Each structure stands twice: as C-alpha cells, then as structure tokens.
Amino acid sequence: MTLRATLIGIFALLLGAAALNLGMGLQASLLGVRAGLEGFPTILIGLVMSSYYAGFVAGSLFAPKIVARVGHIRTFSAFASLASAAALCHAVFVDPISWVILRTLTGVCFAALCLVTESWLNERSSNLNRGTVLSIYFVVILASTAAGQAFLMLAPPSGYDLFIFVSVIISVALVPIALTSTPTPAITAPRRMALRQLYGVSPVGVAGCFGAGLITGAFWALGAVYAQGKGLVTDEIAIFMTLVVGGGVLTQWPFGRLSDQMDRRIVIAGLTVSIAALGIFAGLGLFPQGQGLYILGALMGGLVLPLYGLVIAHANDFLEPEDFVPASASLLLLYGAGAIVGPMVATFVMRFAGADGLFLHLGVAASLLAAFTLYRMTQRAAAPSEEAADYVFAQGISPVSFELDPRAESENEGCETDT
C-alpha cells in the first residue's frame, strides 16, 4: 500500500486523535487554573493532576481486554462518551475529591481511546511507511495539544463555557471514528518484560523512564498552576503553555539526531544537567520575570519533552528487536508511575516554596537522574554504533504505539509491505 493510500485510509483516525488531544490539552490547563481560582490547597491540586496518570496506567492494563470483548468502535464510543461527561461534571461538582475521581476516570478513558486509535493505525501501516505514519501521528497530537492551550483564551476559566467546549470537542472525536470504514484489527494484551530483567538490560532506561515521568508529569500537570502563581492572567497562561509544547516540538528532532551520532547517555546527561541548572536557577527566583516567563516556559519545554523519547531510544539500543515492544510497554508503565508521583511531590515543595517550588522539584529530580546517568557511563560502554537504532520522533502514549515503531522489526514482520 502506498503512503498516499495509507494516509487517506487513516485520515478519519487522525481527525479523531486531533479532536481528542485538543480537548485533553485544554482540559489539563483549565483544571489547573480553575483549581487555583477556587482556592484548592496546593497538595490537593497535585493529587487532582496526578490522578489522571493513575487512571491512565490502570486503563492501559485492562483496556485491551475490553477492546477484545466488544470491539474498537463500541469501546471508542463508550469511553469518549464517558470522557465527555466527565468534562462537564468538573464544572458541576467543583471540589477536590470529585475532581480526583473525575480526573482518574478521564485517564482511564484516554488510555482506552489511545489504544483503539493506535491499534487501528498499526493495522493500516506497512513496514515501508510505519515510521512516517508514526511521525505524522505524533505531530498531529502535539499540534492539537498546543492548540488546546490557546483555546484557554476563549472564555473565563471561572465559568462553564470552557468545560462545555472540552466536552463538545471530545464528543466530536466520535464522528470520524464512528463513520470510518477501515476494518477493525485484532488486538491482544501486550506482553511486558519483567522490570528486573529490563533493569539488567538497561539501567538508564528504567531509571530514566521513571525520572522522565517525575519531571514531565509534574511540569505538564502544574505548568499552568505555576504561571498563575507567578501572576499571569488567563491569556498569558495560554501563551505560556503553548510555548511549553512548542519548545518540545522544536527540539525533538535535533536532540534525537544528535543522540544518533554519539553515546545517547551523553545527550540524556546533558539534557538533565540543563534541566537541573535551569530548574534550580528559576526555582530560586533568579530568572527574569514578566515576559521572561515565556522564555523560561519554552526553554524548559524544549529540554523536558524530548527526554522520554531519548530514554526509550537508549534502552532499545541494548534490546533484541523482538523485545522492543514488551520492554517499551513496561517502560511506559514506569513513566506513568513517575508521572503519578511527580505532581504530588512538586505540590508538596510548592506548599513551602510557592510557585517556584515546581522548578525546584524539576531541578532536584533532574539532578538525581543526571547523577545516575553519569555514574552508569563509568560502568558500561556505549552501545556499538552499528547496533544502535536510529532515534524515532515519538512519545509513547499506549503500548500499541510501540508496535508502530519501525525499530520493532520482528513485531512487524508479518505486516503487509506491498499491495
């Protein structure tokens, strides 16, 4: 199948994914800002934001069984409807406990929705275009997530309007998926590699995925809360968060390509040292305020968002091709665990240090990961260049996304390559 034919076949799936990430991107920032306006205690804001990742991890574990039982379209319809209803309920039940429950439910729903979308994309791809399809997919979702931040400017976060808008956008995602004529693929629960075995293969991969969750989960969940605490108004918060995502998009390719030319741990250590320096510098209030916060957001986004992909690429350098998918599925759970803990730890620091505590958390977490990475470089040589796989512009969302990755050669051998 040609790339053009493949793109035509997955156009509806990409539209649905774009709508989902547009709504989810807006909702994440909206909840952080609204929680601040409602005067939620900082610790409870962290609990609300981290509960999404708890739901996502749980959903990743049981969603394959639901899809196998009732099918892709029914699963997508059911969980999109639940996510849409949860968005509205946030505006009706404005209290931390209700939001923890609703945010957990949203995480469960999004895990199932991503699983359905990515398994369909995997079915429609071939070994000849799998990497291109994966790259296009992640460009779509990152662009949609960035656009979601800008929509924060459409209405005051203190009202109902933005919650209704999120609900409508998620509901609209149902339309292209429900009307698609693309055959639904078979799906099975992903095999996962034991963590002890995975640590033996790639210690930096294991520590790095958990550390990336600690860092990225906290920054993504609480970036809007930080901006609000620094005195930015709604429109300015939207710009700040858009720049965070934009910075990460711009740096994915250069950091990835740089890591293809050397020991990836050098790039990972360089990123984490930079995050640590910038985090501690900003956390101590030494970074310029006002318009300087926009620069800070873009810089930190550019450093933080590529980290997970680099760690996955490093782990893959030491894996056999047939182990890439089960290992990456386990690494995704580690990332999710870190993303659960990260916002809670960050808000604990923010309780005593104010908004700047977020960057202190980022600085300390990155320092620990940098130290471990540098230590491991003294214990093990880099992967031979002829065995290292090329970096792929991707951020795993569900375990199925790793089956799309062209580095998982043996997993894709049975896919159609020409029709």
Side-chain angles (χ1 to χ4, degrees), residues 131-148:
T132 302
V133 169
L134 184 64
S135 296
I136 291 172
Y137 171 61
F138 282 110
V139 167
V140 167
I141 64 174
L142 285 172
S144 301
T145 301

Side-chain angles (χ1 to χ4, degrees), residues 22-47:
L22 182 66
M24 293 297 181
L26 171 58
Q27 187 182 51
S29 295
L30 172 60
L31 291 178
V33 174
R34 181 63 180 270
L37 293 175
E38 295 292 337
F40 287 5
T42 305
I43 296 294
L44 290 182
I45 293 177
L47 182 60

Side-chain angles (χ1 to χ4, degrees), residues 123-287:
E123 177 73 13
R124 297 299 298 170
S125 305
S126 72
N127 284 343
L128 296 177
N129 59 33
R130 196 171 300 277
T132 302
V133 169
L134 184 64
S135 296
I136 291 172
Y137 171 61
F138 282 110
V139 167
V140 167
I141 64 174
L142 285 172
S144 301
T145 301
Q149 312 308 310
F151 284 158
L152 192 61
M153 297 184 281
L154 291 179
S158 56
Y160 285 80
D161 294 351
L162 289 177
F163 291 97
I164 294 172
F165 184 75
V166 171
S167 177
V168 169
I169 289 295
I170 295 174
S171 297
V172 167
L174 270 168
V175 177
I177 299 297
L179 295 179
T180 184
S181 58
T182 303
T184 57
I187 188 169
T188 57
R191 181 169 60 91
R192 291 185 171 86
M193 182 179 288
L195 291 182
R196 178 176 296 181
Q197 179 185 0
L198 187 53
Y199 184 85
V201 173
S202 178
V204 171
V206 170
C209 278
F210 183 78
L214 281 176
I215 296 166
T216 308
F219 189 46
W220 179 243
L222 300 171
V225 178
Y226 166 82
Q228 185 181 43
K230 299 299 287 185
L232 299 187
V233 298
T234 302
D235 289 1
E236 294 169 333
I237 294 172
I239 295 172
F240 176 85
M241 292 304 297
T242 302
L243 290 172
V244 167
V245 180
V249 171
L250 290 176
T251 58
Q252 287 272 357
W253 187 86
F255 281 135
R257 288 295 169 257
L258 180 63
S259 75
D260 288 340
Q261 309 303 318
M262 60 179 69
D263 184 347
R264 282 192 223 278
R265 293 173 298 181
I266 297 175
V267 182
I268 293 170
L271 273 181
T272 48
V273 168
S274 299
I275 293 169
L278 183 59
I280 294 173
F281 192 72
L284 295 176
L286 302 177
F287 201 90

Side-chain angles (χ1 to χ4, degrees), residues 39 61 85 110 119 146 156 161 169 171 185 207 213 254 272 316 329 332 345 355 375 419:
L61 295 174
F110 198 55
S119 62
D161 294 351
I169 289 295
S171 297
T272 48
N316 188 47
L332 178 61
V345 174
Y375 164 73
T419 60

Side-chain angles (χ1 to χ4, degrees), residues 2 44 71 77-78 88 104 123 144 156 158 184 190 195 200 223 234 271 283 319 333 335 342 347 356 368 391:
T2 65
L44 290 182
S77 299
L88 288 176
T104 303
E123 177 73 13
S144 301
S158 56
T184 57
L195 291 182
T234 302
L271 273 181
L319 290 165
L333 289 182
Y335 174 84
T347 50
D356 290 331
L368 294 174
Y391 176 84

